[in-house]
Amino acid sequence: MELSVCCLGTGRGATAVWEGEPSSAVALLFDGRPVLLVDVGFGVVRACRHWLGTVPDTILVTHNHSDHAAELPVVLPLAAAAGRRPRVIGAPAVVERLQRHRLHELRSTGRPLADFCELVAADGPVTLAEGLTITLLRARHSEPSCGFMLWDGDRPLLAYGGDSAFSTAYYARLFEAPTVILDARATGNAEHAGFGAVAAYIAAYPDTVVRITGYGTRAQAPAGLAAFAPGDRLSLGTGP
């Protein structure tokens, strides 16, 4: 099984609103077939249809900010109308917020939320396919937010940092994987890592494949760091 990850968008909070470019999101593909969508913020469904031809039936929401979850209450009824019932994965605190806030509008249908999706509050490994699992990692952000690690058995394949401030403890866990995708932008703050801090950290890991997302528009991509751009695909090798 050939594994790869596709970049769908690199937008920051206002990028889609002001520039019309999709929010940060990636998709995991097995033998070219999309099986996991990571975040579904502004413009991501359209990006999925453009780059992948479909929206995967398993969606991981890293946190409840609009640029990571805005399109979820639209995607789920459309999937239900097509006879599909997506699986939505998040950390327990994220799932609680999705139920209470993001998906509240679905109550107007008069139908239970279970009709639209299977909500998975993940406090342990979640199976994607035989031998392949993901585990969530708590990030540093104003809202409960998680990255994740993709595993082939007990072998880490990919780490995805999600929205997070720079943290050596968090990065140490992410860099157990041979391929790492990090959110960063020109100036770091209490919610997002800065390019300078990321560059200094990854210098100690010359053999790790690192891609940067979450930086905004193409014009805001980091110089001197490998930026993930919409449509880019990164091979993770073969799985079980």
Side-chain angles (χ1 to χ4, degrees):
M1 178 184 293
E2 178 68 25
L3 306 175
S4 62
V5 59
C6 177
C7 180
L8 300 172
T10 60
R12 297 161 58 172
T15 303
V17 176
W18 290 106
E19 306 289 343
E21 296 186 16
S23 298
S24 292
V26 300
L28 188 67
L29 298 94
F30 298 169
D31 289 336
R33 178 175 60 91
V35 296
L36 176 68
L37 172 62
V38 182
D39 285 333
V40 61
F42 299 121
V44 171
V45 169
R46 187 174 182 180
C48 273
R49 298 180 68 189
H50 176 73
W51 295 113
L52 309 177
T54 187
V55 178
D57 279 333
T58 298
I59 302 170
L60 169 62
V61 178
T62 61
H63 62 295
N64 188 40
H65 281 166
S66 293
D67 54 327
H68 295 265
E71 295 186 342
L72 187 62
V74 177
V75 169
L76 298 184
L78 289 174
R84 298 162 59 191
R85 185 171 176 263
R87 178 171 57 155
V88 179
I89 302 167
V94 174
V95 167
E96 188 276 333
R97 281 165 167 74
L98 293 175
Q99 288 178 296
R100 180 175 299 185
H101 303 292
R102 185 67 55 185
L103 299 176
H104 183 272
E105 64 190 78
L106 294 183
R107 294 185 181 182
S108 65
T109 66
R111 298 168 59 188
L113 187 55
D115 281 2
F116 298 100
C117 68
E118 176 192 359
L119 270 176
V120 179
D123 56 1
V126 177
T127 299
L128 295 181
E130 185 176 355
L132 291 172
T133 60
I134 56 173
T135 53
L136 301 186
L137 304 172
R138 181 66 184 267
R140 287 183 56 193
H141 204 59
S142 62
E143 178 82 7
S145 178
C146 288
F148 70 88
M149 189 85 79
L150 171 70
W151 300 85
D152 174 7
D154 59 0
R155 177 171 64 103
L157 296 178
L158 170 71
Y160 185 85
D163 278 10
S164 180
F166 179 78
S167 163
T168 55
Y170 183 51
Y171 278 33
R173 297 191 67 188
L174 296 173
F175 276 75
E176 294 174 10
T179 300
V180 180
I181 299 174
L182 294 174
D183 172 274
R185 50 197 62 187
T187 302
N189 55 37
E191 295 190 277
H192 299 279
F195 294 156
V198 168
Y201 189 89
I202 67 177
Y205 294 86
D207 296 328
T208 300
V209 176
V210 181
R211 294 292 184 270
I212 305 302
T213 187
Y215 49 79
T217 66
R218 291 176 186 266
Q220 295 170 313
L225 292 171
F228 220 14
D232 285 355
R233 293 198 183 190
L234 185 61
S235 175
L236 304 175
T238 56

